[in-house]
Amino acid sequence: MTITTADVPVGGHRFRVHETGDPSREAVLWLHGSGPGATALSNWERVIGDLSGDLHNIAPDIIGFGDSSHPEPAPPTAADFARLRIDTLIGLLDELGVRRAHLVGNSMGGIIGLGMALQHPDRIGRIVLMGSGGAPVPPTEDLLKLITYYDDPTVEALADLMRAMTHDPSVLGESLEKITESRMERIQRPEVRRSHLATFAHNLPGLYEPEQLATLRNPVLAVHGREDKIMPLAAGHYFAEHIPDAQLYVMPNAGHWAQIEQPGRFAFVVGAFLTGRI
């Protein structure tokens, strides 16, 4: 499996984009979550490799993350930033010549993905929501730690946050130290800090009402770790209840990073759904 990486301009912005698979196959847009130092590959590197034989996988650093553009000044509110991200991701599909794509959204990526589907229903096919935000559930203590990370941007605080992403932190093994070290490099960049703060400024984006979700006609699979400490399982039940063509798959012994804790199971279930086998 080879991951190709390129910079793709969209209007006045630039995406760092990673791709696997044959471009003649059905396209899938993989939208990562938020958090200090988050990138497309930090979420999806293994799974887009596992599914490279079945799908054309497109995993961008969303605007305001990683090595994509960081607007300066940043949008004034979280809602404004969410709108910019939706618009630029549709622009990215245009630049890549992708008329219609399935999408997988983790956490914040689910919020953005649902916004894309509601605003541009003809551009989006099947949707996987993994530990997705956007449901009216109270923020957990660990989610608040993620949001306020820059109040105490230390290696120790980052390591605690990484542990909270999993049900069993030992699954990260010795890689936890490598993950924190690699993220700290990026976290300390002023533009990354600016984008993180703007992502959560003034109001949180994408709280979807039942009436909005009822208009979705996309087949949706909500995948949720049963022990998710960032986004409670109640969020997965909310989407399964209010989206007309939705099913819920609960992964036992998994937290917010189900794709990292149980990569084989995650790729199998998501691949079967995206290719129409379930």
Side-chain angles (χ1 to χ4, degrees):
M1 181 275 300
T2 299
I3 297 177
T4 62
T5 300
D7 288 331
V8 180
V10 175
H13 304 279
R14 174 184 48 79
F15 279 96
R16 176 65 53 88
V17 181
H18 311 279
E19 296 183 71
T20 67
D22 186 340
S24 68
R25 294 186 179 273
E26 290 186 83
V28 183
L29 185 64
W30 295 81
L31 303 180
H32 61 79
S34 64
T39 65
L41 291 185
S42 72
N43 267 206
W44 306 124
E45 184 170 11
R46 161 97 186 244
V47 69
I48 64 173
D50 288 349
L51 294 177
S52 61
D54 299 318
L55 298 157
H56 174 208
N57 302 290
I58 303 165
D61 290 353
I62 296 170
I63 296 299
F65 287 92
D67 294 312
S68 290
S69 295
H70 293 261
E72 187 175 14
T77 71
D80 291 321
F81 218 153
R83 281 191 288 271
L84 173 64
R85 286 165 170 157
I86 290 168
D87 292 344
T88 53
L89 284 164
I90 292 295
L92 175 63
L93 294 180
D94 291 339
E95 288 292 330
L96 296 176
V98 175
R99 181 73 191 92
R100 190 169 181 268
H102 306 308
L103 64 82
V104 182
N106 170 220
S107 200
M108 179 205 73
I111 295 175
I112 301 301
L114 285 170
M116 294 175 70
L118 287 166
Q119 295 178 36
H120 305 276
D122 59 321
R123 304 298 300 273
I124 305 301
R126 290 174 171 256
I127 299 172
V128 176
L129 302 174
M130 192 198 89
S132 179
V137 296
T140 64
E141 181 181 345
D142 288 306
L143 177 59
L144 292 174
K145 287 179 181 177
L146 181 154
I147 292 170
T148 61
Y149 172 77
Y150 279 95
D151 291 353
D152 178 33
T154 63
V155 173
E156 293 76 15
L158 181 62
D160 285 344
L161 189 54
M162 297 300 100
R163 293 186 191 98
M165 294 287 185
T166 61
H167 168 57
D168 178 8
S170 69
V171 73
L172 300 172
E174 296 177 359
S175 66
L176 177 60
E177 185 177 342
K178 293 179 181 177
I179 292 170
T180 53
E181 286 177 358
S182 65
R183 284 205 176 197
M184 284 306 296
E185 243 182 86
R186 183 171 283 111
I187 284 166
Q188 292 167 352
R189 287 162 41 186
E191 69 274 18
V192 172
R193 179 182 186 276
R194 180 179 70 239
S195 292
H196 177 93
L197 296 177
T199 295
F200 300 105
H202 302 300
N203 61 326
L204 294 181
L207 180 61
Y208 293 107
E209 300 292 340
E211 294 78 14
Q212 291 175 287
L213 297 176
T215 67
L216 282 171
R217 294 296 174 260
N218 312 71
V220 173
L221 175 66
V223 178
H224 221 104
R226 188 180 63 195
E227 287 78 22
D228 192 333
K229 292 178 282 190
I230 302 292
M231 189 57 58
L233 178 56
H237 283 286
Y238 178 81
F239 293 123
E241 178 181 356
H242 294 295
I243 296 173
D245 188 2
Q247 51 188 308
L248 174 64
Y249 182 77
V250 179
M251 293 182 66
N253 305 309
H256 197 57
W257 275 353
Q259 83 283 26
I260 291 173
E261 285 195 88
Q262 299 183 31
R265 176 183 287 187
F266 180 81
F268 178 82
V269 171
V270 170
F273 176 75
L274 292 176
T275 53
R277 288 176 281 151
I278 60 172

